Amino acid sequence: MRLSVKSINYILSIFMLFIFGLFFLFSLLHDKSTIAIVDDFYEHPFKVSMAAVRMRSDFRTMWEISTSDVAGEVDTANTKLELKSLENDILAEMDVVKNRYLGPKEDIENVFNSYDQYRTLLHTAMDINEKKGNKEALKYLEENEAKEKLRELVENSSVIVNYAQNKAIFFRAKADSQLESYIYTSLVICLVVVGLFLAAAFFAMRYINKRFAEIHDALLQVDNGKLVDIEVRKYDIKEFADIKASIAQMAERLEGSYKTISEQAVELEVSLEQAREANERMMEQSREIEETNVELESVNEELSATNAAIRDQARELHESEDRLRESQQIAKIGSWTYFVEDDRFEVSDVASDIIGGFDEYYAAFSDAELLVREGDRKFFRDTFGAAITSKEPFYMTVATSSQEEPKYLSIRGKCVCDDTGKVASMVGTLQDITQIQKANELQNALINNNAMCIFLASQDRKIMKANERGCEMFGYDRTELEGADFSLIHTDMESFLAFANEYSKLRDGGLTNIRYRMRKKDGSIFWCSVSGAPLDTSDLSKGVIWTLLDIDDTVLLEGSYKDFFNSIQYSMYVLDLDKNFIEINSGFTAMHGFGAEEIIGKNVIEIIDCSKNDIEQINRYYDLAISGEPQTFEFWSVDKNGKSFPKEVSIARGKFVYKDAIVTIGLDITRQKQLEENLQTLVDEETRKRMEREHMLVQQSRLAIMGEMISNIAHQWRQPLNQISVLKDGLVDDYYFKDLNDAKMEHFNSSVTENLRYMSVTIDDFRNFFRPDKDKTEFSVVESINQAVSLVKDSMQSLDIDISKKFDSADMRIFGYQNEFAQAIINILSNARDALKANNDADNRQIEIGVHGQGGVVSITIQDNAGGIKSDVVDRIFDPYFTTKHKSQGTGLGLYMSKMIIEQNLGGKLTVANKNNGACFLIELAISKTGETNG
Amino acid sequence: MDRAEYARIMSKYTVLFVDDDDGITENLARVYKRYFKEVYTAANGLLGIEQYEKYKPDLVITDVTMPKCDGIKMATEIKKADPELKVIFSSGHNEEDFIKEFEKFGGFYLTKPMDMATLLNLILVVLKEEQ
């Protein structure tokens, strides 16, 4: 769309008006809203606060007025008037406050109520004053606590004053901030408007410039003599004036041109007249020439008559020649005569037919030459020249120069000499051999446009003929090849001589595809596939046709694949789908000893040790591979000598020489198997050693425990033994003193029995403890701990060690060997005992055992107060043979055994930490579920 | 020497048995009442010291390993106040560990369980009544 400058102006004006309108509107709104804010948010609360302040001071004034009046110092009537106006003021102020107060309603009510009371009080006092005197009035005021009421009123109004003042201050601040934000907003809007205006002005200027440029271009074109359709508008007045001036100039110029053309037209008219006159003259001359011509024609007729006579005379001669001509026509052999002196050819009809261009029966040599194809002309000329010089008969084949289809002419000729021996004429025949020639060309094309190199060889191994491909292949010119010895293209003399053998094979009908290396002219050697066939098997002297094909690429490719195939150290072989060998690599030969000629065509069963393999399984692997799933498996293979060895093969269906086949890659894994076996032996050996070591540890630990237990038994038995001993002494003593009676015997018997029973139980406990656990059982943790504690309690007691127990529940059960668990506990208790003995006074030795179950786990804590484990040994206390004690006391196996029992045999966790001024061992075990005990 | 003769000699003396096993002290007291003028008992070293100070017995027969205050400690304590203390130690085991200590108090000791005949003889030796 094209916008005119004028419309732009209009739009701009409207836009500016719109902007100013907006701005004006905004200022108006802005102004009005500011007033509203000040009024609403500032003035009102301010007014309220002022009114409240006034009201409060009015209350006070009321008191002063009324009390002074009551005191009788002032005129009562006047006072009443004053009070009335004051009350009016108060009412007006109260009205303001009531309507605009934003605080709680009850504030207002409070003031109103106390004001009412107070006012009534004052009025009553005034009345009393009037009626009974001021003393009564003062008394009344005092009695009714008027001063108190006033204070209350002032206080109540102070509430309103404070609230209203606070509100006023708050709204003042709010109004200020509002004003500030309005000022910023209007500033931003003004800036935006100015920016928009500038942008609009910029774009308008740009458009106007562009428009001027267009007009300027148009004027330039008009100036160059072109009429341009340009819109010129009213407002483009200045430009229009310019255009007008330009057009006027142009009109002037056109007028000038017209004048010149008119002048030239006059000149041309004059010239035309002159030409017309000249033409008339020429036509006259032409008529004269025509007349002369008629005369000439009559002369010519006379000459024709003479000519006819001559022809009659010649007819006889022609008739005798007819027979010859006919025979020539049948044979399509034309004859020709060339008269050297006259430089003129005469040709027979047949010849004329053949060459086509010889309508006249004679022609000069130069004419004849033109009939010959350009390329053959020199040859044609030279042959004639040579024949004239040598006087020998000649033969040549040339092609005609005919555009469409050249004919091939066989030309024979000889010289006819006159008496002086000079060549007078030449006679000869002319034959159309185009058909023969075409057949030859086809043959040549067949021979030359062949990918094969074709050589015709003589019996003495010379190249008689070579086709173009042959020249190209070896890089020689035909002239270089033809007539050369075959040694030219052999790599060396040796190869050339060796090839002689091949000739002897030719009698049997030919050779195919012998691979031979040949040499090019540039010395490069390449592979050829050579085939040979004698022209006549019975007579090699007739020549041999050799065809050679460059198969260098193929041989290289084949060779590289073969080399690659054989370079692979794995045994590789290809089977057909009946599992017969098609191809093997040298890796296979190395592994199995079979050469290609020995194995190819045989079944794969030849290399499978039938006595050691599941043949059906192997067949299944092959079936799967044939169906398209590659397989890898191990089997026992045999080599040529019947030696069996393990082999791993990967088999997959693939292609070999375009046929489906099974491609196999195999590896002798004898060594690998041995390594595996050795490794297994090593692992077994290590495992056995480790188990032995552990067994030994268990043994040692059990011995250590045994010693410990015997010491415990000694402690347990000491008391009953002593008891029995004392009892026995008493009995013996009674006997000596003849003081025995039934009661004493009874006491002795029961006491000794009791002690013996206790000893028996004790020894049973220990025996049970030492009896190896046969089966894993589900047992109570608490019971088991009690058992362990009972075994060591005397030994603990003798050292004043106090064992306390904190059991959450008695019913937690775990699954395993119960005595082992008890042993683990005893070992930890013994460790605590030794630590306490070493580090603590006898009156402060504590061991606390806690059992706590949560979330399927039972936690057993064994806490002593022996000061804890030293930080430098804390990491090693579970190591076997680690002990801080003297050799006689510790083996260093106790805690190690505990750890083994808890972690390996019971699948739990045993850890230690220092806390509460001692070591705290923590055992965590899974609480068993009923199912596991039966399983 | 028959038992009556022992009783005759020993009936001039008083004795204190100290042992943490109540059953033993009770039975000992019952048996030796026949021999001594008076038999006192105590269940540990501290009580032994109390009893000694109270009754000043002529002889103390005490266990070695006892809770709170063992026999040697008790003897050491008593000997500070009364160097004339006569004491026989009885120990359940490992008496070798204490021989050096026993020397300080005359080196009289017996291994538990005590044989009565041996003890009676030893008592006479300690009381210097053996002739």
Side-chain angles (χ1 to χ4, degrees):
Chain A
M1 193 185 88
R2 284 179 63 166
L3 277 173
S4 67
V5 173
K6 197 171 183 181
S7 55
I8 285 284
N9 282 339
Y10 281 138
I11 289 166
L12 265 180
S13 310
I14 291 163
F15 179 66
M16 288 296 291
L17 270 175
F18 176 69
I19 294 297
F20 279 119
L22 268 182
F23 195 66
F24 182 67
L25 204 66
F26 172 75
S27 327
L28 267 181
L29 282 173
H30 179 253
D31 210 27
K32 212 174 176 188
S33 65
T34 313
I35 293 160
I37 289 158
V38 172
D39 202 32
D40 285 352
F41 293 107
Y42 175 58
E43 286 297 337
H44 276 195
F46 186 70
K47 276 178 187 162
V48 171
S49 81
M50 289 308 288
V53 169
R54 275 200 304 274
M55 190 173 75
R56 193 174 58 180
S57 69
D58 285 349
F59 292 151
R60 288 206 185 96
T61 316
M62 258 174 97
W63 169 259
E64 279 162 22
I65 292 168
S66 50
T67 45
S68 59
D69 181 65
V70 170
E73 286 164 12
V74 190
D75 175 28
T76 313
N78 197 25
T79 309
K80 265 194 169 172
L81 272 177
E82 268 182 55
L83 206 62
K84 192 78 196 166
S85 83
L86 207 57
E87 275 173 8
N88 283 340
D89 283 351
I90 288 169
L91 276 177
E93 281 147 9
M94 273 184 162
D95 208 36
V96 171
V97 172
K98 195 178 161 189
N99 287 337
R100 293 179 174 171
Y101 182 64
L102 295 167
K105 279 250 160 56
E106 59 203 52
D107 291 351
I108 308 270
E109 278 164 21
N110 287 343
V111 173
F112 280 15
N113 290 338
S114 29
Y115 174 65
D116 271 347
Q117 286 175 16
Y118 179 63
R119 200 174 63 92
T120 320
L121 213 65
L122 282 189
H123 278 279
T124 318
M126 298 268 270
D127 289 344
I128 294 169
N129 190 25
E130 267 180 308
K131 286 170 190 163
K132 296 176 184 172
N134 57 5
K135 273 186 184 165
E136 283 295 310
L138 279 172
K139 197 181 160 199
Y140 172 79
L141 282 178
E142 250 173 65
E143 270 172 9
N144 287 290
E145 294 174 329
K147 213 162 182 179
E148 278 297 304
K149 290 244 160 60
L150 176 71
R151 203 182 46 77
E152 197 181 312
L153 180 60
V154 170
E155 257 174 32
N156 286 340
S157 55
S158 287
V159 169
I160 291 173
V161 169
N162 287 342
Y163 187 88
Q165 272 176 351
N166 283 341
K167 262 289 180 260
I169 290 161
F170 170 74
F171 280 110
R172 176 64 189 251
K174 198 165 176 182
D176 282 352
S177 73
Q178 284 275 5
L179 265 176
E180 214 172 311
S181 73
Y182 270 85
I183 286 161
Y184 283 132
T185 315
S186 38
L187 214 68
V188 168
I189 289 170
C190 283
L191 282 173
V192 169
V193 167
V194 169
L196 280 173
F197 175 70
L198 284 175
F202 173 72
F203 283 115
M205 284 306 289
R206 257 182 68 159
Y207 179 74
I208 289 163
N209 271 350
K210 198 179 154 199
R211 186 73 189 125
F212 280 150
E214 268 174 31
I215 290 165
H216 184 67
D217 284 349
L219 284 175
L220 277 180
Q221 282 179 357
V222 171
D223 206 31
N224 290 335
K226 281 184 205 162
L227 266 178
V228 176
D229 177 25
I230 176 145
E231 259 183 278
V232 179
R233 301 178 187 88
K234 270 187 252 166
Y235 51 83
D236 291 340
I237 289 166
K238 195 176 174 301
E239 288 90 42
F240 188 65
D242 288 348
I243 293 163
K244 222 167 132 186
S246 307
I247 292 170
Q249 275 179 3
M250 199 177 69
E252 251 171 64
R253 246 180 270 154
L254 279 173
E255 214 171 313
S257 307
Y258 179 70
K259 266 183 196 160
T260 320
I261 291 164
S262 301
E263 279 164 16
Q264 281 173 352
V266 172
E267 276 172 30
L268 278 170
E269 225 165 298
V270 174
S271 310
L272 196 67
E273 202 63 28
Q274 287 171 346
R276 223 173 270 154
E277 283 168 13
N279 200 19
E280 271 171 26
R281 275 199 300 275
M282 278 171 79
M283 279 176 56
E284 239 168 79
Q285 284 171 351
S286 185
R287 267 197 295 282
E288 281 170 27
I289 290 163
E290 236 169 280
E291 281 164 14
T292 320
N293 228 11
V294 172
E295 282 170 32
L296 280 168
E297 260 172 42
S298 65
V299 177
N300 218 10
E301 272 169 27
E302 279 171 35
L303 278 171
S304 297
T306 318
N307 225 5
I310 293 166
R311 266 183 217 146
D312 288 341
Q313 286 170 349
R315 194 172 296 143
E316 242 175 275
L317 181 62
H318 281 164
E319 276 170 6
S320 64
E321 284 178 343
D322 274 350
R323 248 173 259 163
L324 178 63
R325 249 181 237 129
E326 277 168 21
S327 63
Q328 280 181 351
Q329 254 166 345
I330 291 160
K332 286 233 175 206
I333 295 171
S335 63
W336 55 271
T337 312
Y338 176 62
F339 300 98
V340 179
E341 279 290 298
D342 302 350
D343 182 18
R344 180 168 59 86
F345 272 103
E346 269 189 24
V347 296
S348 67
D349 289 345
V350 178
S352 178
D353 282 347
I354 291 167
I355 51 182
F358 257 64
D359 283 345
E360 308 295 327
Y361 282 80
Y362 53 88
F365 188 86
S366 56
D367 295 329
E369 203 180 69
L370 287 176
L371 292 167
V372 177
R373 187 170 63 186
E374 209 175 342
D376 290 349
R377 271 176 208 164
K378 191 173 176 296
F379 174 62
F380 181 76
R381 199 161 55 232
D382 289 353
T383 311
F384 267 88
I388 289 168
T389 316
S390 67
K391 302 182 181 86
E392 288 282 323
F394 65 88
Y395 166 77
M396 65 177 156
T397 306
V398 290
T400 63
S401 60
S402 164
Q403 286 291 317
E404 308 89 47
E405 209 177 336
K407 284 180 175 168
Y408 289 90
L409 305 177
S410 166
I411 301 169
R412 286 169 193 278
K414 67 168 197 173
C415 297
V416 178
C417 297
D418 63 5
D419 304 341
T420 60
K422 196 180 158 202
V423 178
S425 61
M426 297 177 87
V427 291
T429 57
L430 182 73
Q431 196 179 355
D432 183 352
I433 57 159
T434 307
Q435 295 303 320
I436 302 162
Q437 193 66 23
K438 273 186 177 169
N440 272 345
E441 271 180 9
L442 188 65
Q443 205 174 334
N444 280 340
L446 273 175
I447 292 166
N448 285 325
N449 297 336
N450 201 313
M452 289 216 177
C453 157
I454 302 169
F455 288 139
L456 173 64
S458 66
Q459 197 176 22
D460 58 353
R461 304 185 63 194
K462 279 193 164 44
I463 302 169
M464 305 294 286
K465 286 273 174 198
N467 72 345
E468 275 175 25
R469 175 70 188 137
C471 305
E472 194 187 306
M473 190 188 283
F474 286 93
Y476 289 104
D477 285 341
R478 179 166 295 164
T479 48
E480 286 175 293
L481 275 179
E482 289 182 355
D485 209 65
F486 263 110
S487 61
L488 187 69
I489 58 164
H490 274 282
T491 52
D492 48 34
M493 218 46 204
E494 205 179 321
S495 159
F496 171 67
L497 293 175
F499 198 79
N501 291 333
E502 308 295 343
Y503 275 82
S504 59
K505 297 177 189 166
L506 288 171
R507 282 182 204 288
D508 305 332
L511 291 167
T512 47
N513 288 333
I514 328 157
R515 285 185 177 181
Y516 235 85
R517 299 179 83 204
M518 293 294 178
R519 194 184 61 211
K520 291 185 184 178
K521 190 182 182 183
D522 62 11
S524 58
I525 310 284
F526 66 106
W527 280 97
C528 272
S529 169
V530 183
S531 303
L535 289 176
D536 184 345
T537 41
S538 57
D539 184 3
L540 290 186
S541 68
K542 284 183 178 166
V544 179
I545 298 289
W546 290 109
T547 56
L548 290 84
L549 186 63
D550 181 349
I551 54 162
D552 207 38
D553 290 347
T554 321
V555 170
L556 270 177
L557 199 66
E558 267 178 27
S560 52
Y561 270 103
K562 194 85 185 166
D563 289 348
F564 169 70
F565 192 52
N566 281 324
S567 306
I568 293 167
Q569 293 304 303
Y570 293 99
S571 137
M572 285 180 77
Y573 46 97
V574 184
L575 307 174
D576 62 21
L577 296 186
D578 294 327
K579 290 173 257 174
N580 295 320
F581 284 94
I582 309 175
E583 179 67 299
I584 61 167
N585 76 340
S586 49
F588 178 87
T589 308
M591 188 183 290
H592 293 276
F594 289 111
E597 66 288 348
E598 289 172 286
I599 198 76
I600 283 175
K602 290 193 177 157
N603 194 272
V604 76
I605 202 83
E606 295 281 331
I607 61 156
I608 297 173
D609 186 341
C610 295
S611 61
K612 289 191 180 176
N613 290 304
D614 178 356
I615 302 292
E616 275 182 26
Q617 179 58 42
I618 290 177
N619 282 334
R620 272 196 291 280
Y621 286 130
Y622 273 101
D623 289 344
L624 280 171
I626 289 168
S627 74
E629 277 179 52
Q631 300 289 319
T632 299
F633 59 92
E634 289 175 13
F635 70 103
W636 283 94
S637 190
V638 280
D639 65 6
K640 197 178 170 185
N641 303 321
K643 193 183 144 223
S644 188
F645 62 96
K647 182 172 180 174
E648 186 185 88
V649 288
S650 291
I651 58 173
R653 191 185 173 119
K655 292 239 179 211
F656 187 76
V657 199
Y658 310 113
K659 279 182 192 161
D660 286 327
I662 308 163
V663 181
T664 311
I665 180 159
L667 187 61
D668 180 349
I669 52 168
T670 310
R671 210 176 129 64
Q672 201 179 323
K673 280 274 169 202
Q674 269 169 4
L675 280 173
E676 266 175 33
E677 271 168 33
N678 289 350
L679 192 68
Q680 190 56 45
T681 319
L682 271 174
V683 169
D684 289 347
E685 179 71 9
E686 276 305 306
T687 313
R688 196 183 57 75
K689 276 185 187 166
R690 202 177 69 95
M691 282 172 75
E692 258 176 27
R693 204 162 51 236
E694 274 180 14
H695 182 69
M696 202 174 72
L697 278 175
V698 172
Q699 277 301 105
Q700 285 185 353
S701 142
R702 264 185 123 61
L703 280 173
I705 291 293
M706 194 88 85
E708 183 86 19
M709 282 301 143
I710 286 165
S711 157
N712 282 326
I713 292 166
H715 273 284
Q716 303 276 71
W717 274 16
R718 196 165 64 100
Q719 191 192 6
L721 273 176
N722 288 338
Q723 288 274 21
I724 291 165
S725 161
V726 173
L727 285 167
K728 179 220 54 169
D729 286 346
L731 185 71
V732 172
D733 208 52
D734 287 342
Y735 167 75
Y736 284 134
F737 285 95
K738 308 281 185 264
D739 196 17
L740 268 178
N741 55 34
D742 287 357
K744 279 186 178 172
M745 276 314 284
E746 199 58 45
H747 175 254
F748 174 79
N749 186 36
S750 64
S751 297
V752 169
T753 307
E754 171 62 24
N755 278 303
L756 289 175
R757 194 194 55 75
Y758 175 74
M759 288 172 77
S760 171
V761 167
T762 306
I763 204 73
D764 276 349
D765 283 352
F766 281 99
R767 199 183 57 189
N768 282 336
F769 173 72
F770 277 106
R771 192 170 54 205
D773 291 301
K774 275 199 186 124
D775 297 308
K776 286 184 173 186
T777 51
E778 202 186 61
F779 58 91
S780 156
V781 174
V782 168
E783 242 172 55
S784 202
I785 291 171
N786 282 334
Q787 182 204 346
V789 171
S790 77
L791 294 180
V792 297
K793 76 164 186 275
D794 279 29
S795 115
M796 293 285 179
Q797 218 166 21
S798 74
L799 289 168
D800 283 333
I801 295 167
D802 180 32
I803 299 184
S804 60
K805 299 176 197 167
K806 267 191 182 172
F807 295 165
D808 270 12
S809 155
D811 270 356
M812 277 172 294
R813 299 177 79 78
I814 57 173
F815 186 67
Y817 297 114
Q818 185 170 6
N819 282 347
E820 273 189 4
F821 175 71
Q823 185 178 327
I825 299 289
I826 288 171
N827 290 351
I828 296 167
L829 289 173
S830 301
N831 180 72
R833 182 198 61 205
D834 295 341
L836 287 167
K837 189 177 166 189
N839 303 326
N840 284 42
D841 289 335
D843 53 356
N844 185 26
R845 293 171 176 169
Q846 306 275 339
I847 296 175
E848 186 181 292
I849 305 174
V851 177
H852 174 71
Q854 194 178 39
V857 174
V858 55
S859 309
I860 301 151
T861 51
I862 298 172
Q863 164 87 55
D864 61 47
N865 64 338
I869 302 156
K870 281 180 189 140
S871 58
D872 56 336
V873 302
V874 75
D875 293 335
R876 293 188 290 148
I877 62 159
F878 293 118
D879 291 353
Y881 302 115
F882 175 77
T883 179
T884 57
K885 299 163 209 160
H886 190 262
K887 264 183 193 168
S888 64
Q889 281 181 298
T891 57
L893 287 170
L895 292 178
Y896 169 73
M897 274 306 295
S898 295
K899 183 125 179 141
M900 283 233 313
I901 289 164
I902 299 296
E903 299 199 342
Q904 292 194 5
N905 299 0
L906 293 166
K909 225 175 132 187
L910 171 59
T911 52
V912 69
N914 285 333
K915 56 165 105 165
N916 303 330
N917 190 34
C920 180
F921 286 84
L922 172 66
I923 299 169
E924 289 164 299
L925 290 164
I927 296 170
S928 79
K929 290 173 183 89
T930 344
E932 285 177 50
T933 49
N934 301 329
Chain B
M1 212 193 297
D2 66 9
R3 296 279 168 117
E5 185 62 17
Y6 282 112
R8 193 188 54 79
I9 298 167
M10 286 157 68
S11 60
K12 296 182 268 183
Y13 300 100
T14 56
V15 70
L16 171 63
F17 282 103
V18 186
D19 199 309
D20 59 335
D21 189 334
D22 295 342
I24 286 177
T25 45
E26 190 188 312
N27 283 316
L28 282 172
R30 196 179 69 79
V31 174
Y32 285 90
K33 259 198 176 110
R34 193 175 277 145
Y35 295 88
F36 284 98
K37 187 165 111 192
E38 204 64 63
V39 176
Y40 309 108
T41 59
N44 59 50
L46 289 178
L47 293 172
I49 295 166
E50 263 178 42
Q51 291 289 82
Y52 188 87
E53 279 170 0
K54 198 171 171 186
Y55 302 110
K56 300 283 180 197
D58 301 304
L59 177 66
V60 177
I61 299 171
T62 180
D63 191 10
V64 177
T65 41
M66 282 183 299
K68 292 195 177 160
C69 177
D70 65 29
I72 291 161
K73 242 186 202 169
M74 181 191 74
T76 312
E77 211 50 44
I78 294 169
K79 200 169 169 135
K80 276 181 196 165
D82 184 0
E84 298 298 310
L85 167 74
K86 294 186 172 75
V87 62
I88 298 169
F89 294 101
S90 70
S91 72
H93 50 105
N94 57 16
E95 60 277 358
E96 302 85 2
D97 297 355
F98 303 112
I99 284 176
K100 278 230 161 83
E101 298 292 324
F102 298 159
E103 296 286 320
K104 295 175 186 167
F105 304 96
F108 305 108
Y109 71 92
L110 275 177
T111 306
K112 277 185 172 178
M114 296 179 288
D115 173 55
M116 196 169 172
T118 317
L119 181 58
L120 288 173
N121 281 328
L122 189 60
I123 288 169
L124 291 189
V125 169
V126 172
L127 293 173
K128 297 187 172 141
E129 288 279 354
E130 67 265 49
Q131 62 276 54

